[in-house]
């Protein structure tokens, strides 16, 4: 999927498209989905900085916007992180609220089922088959995905399915980082992954743990934590 950054001349149209997809996705679900997605929309429309992809807000302020207590905020934000919709960019510190990032691309992927309801023009705009018109020649082809359809890879192989999800979401990121990981342990809601170097393990743990957890949650909802260790 090609999703431009919502800034510049076409920013307003893209923002409306994202909010439209979220709204119709909410309305197509039960009351729990409707309330949850409405909470996301409220954060986007009241506090989200589209240009910097930053949501700078504290738990107390969120609870006031949502008319709920802070326990509900904590639970709901954890759910959004597990979905991959929200990640923590900078944790809260003394005198400073947390700063979050909203993954608009993941949101659009998850709302794809309702695109036909919005209309064929919307579906065509957002479809991964609609490549943007450009005169830039790409330097490299799209990285091939993980080979999960080999005789060695069984359909029930959770790690293979997670790798496939990670590749589908961002092939370049997968090729640079995630394809080098291996799963060493998965039990009791915890997963331990192994990276070939300490640098890679530390970098992935710092930057991409939430994305790994979100991918695992789609395959095995019992997974609650993901740790990345170095092979050495």
């Amino acid at each position: 999927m090609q999703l431009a950054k919502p800034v510049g001349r076409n920013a307003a149209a893209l923002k409306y498209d994202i909010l439209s997809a979220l709204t119709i996705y909410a309305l197509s679900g039960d009351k729990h989905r409707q309330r949850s997605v409405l909470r996301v929309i409220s954060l986007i429309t009241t506090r989200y900085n589209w240009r910097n992809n930053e949501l700078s807000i504290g738990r107390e302020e969120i609870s006031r916007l949502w008319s709920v207590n802070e326990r509900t905020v904590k639970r709901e934000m954890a759910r959004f992180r597990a979905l991959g919709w929200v990640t923590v960019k900078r944790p809260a510190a003394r005198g400073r609220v947390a700063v979050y990032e909203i993954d608009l691309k993941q949101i659009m992927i998850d709302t794809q089922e309702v695109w036909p309801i919005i209309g064929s023009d919307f579906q065509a705009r957002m479809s991964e088959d609609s490549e943007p018109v450009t005169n830039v020649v790409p330097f490299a082809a799209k990285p091939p995905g993980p080979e999960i359809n080999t005789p060695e890879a069984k359909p029930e192989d959770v790690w293979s399915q997670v790798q496939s999800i990670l590749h589908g979401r961002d092939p370049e990121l997968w090729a640079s980082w995630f394809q080098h990981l291996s799963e060493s342990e998965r039990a009791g809601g915890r997963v331990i992954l192994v990276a070939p170097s300490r640098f890679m393990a530390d970098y992935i743990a710092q930057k991409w743990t939430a994305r790994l957890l979100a991918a695992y949650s789609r395959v095995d909802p019992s997974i609650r934590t993901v740790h990345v260790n170095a092979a050495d």
Side-chain angles (χ1 to χ4, degrees), residues 14 26 28-29 34-35 37 46 51 53 60-61 88 91 104 107 111 114 118 128-129 141 149 158 165 183 190 219:
L14 182 55
S28 67
Q34 291 170 9
R35 181 172 57 194
V37 175
T46 61
R51 181 175 295 276
N53 187 15
E60 181 180 356
E61 187 175 6
V88 178
L104 300 174
I107 286 175
T111 60
V114 303
I118 301 174
E128 63 182 359
D129 295 328
N149 295 320
V158 172
I165 291 171
E183 184 184 76
R190 184 181 74 157
V219 181

Side-chain angles (χ1 to χ4, degrees), residues 33-50:
R33 180 197 285 183
Q34 291 170 9
R35 181 172 57 194
S36 188
V37 175
L38 182 59
R39 287 169 174 167
V40 172
I41 293 173
S42 72
L43 295 178
I44 292 175
T45 56
T46 61
R47 297 293 185 273
Y48 181 51
N49 184 319
W50 293 89

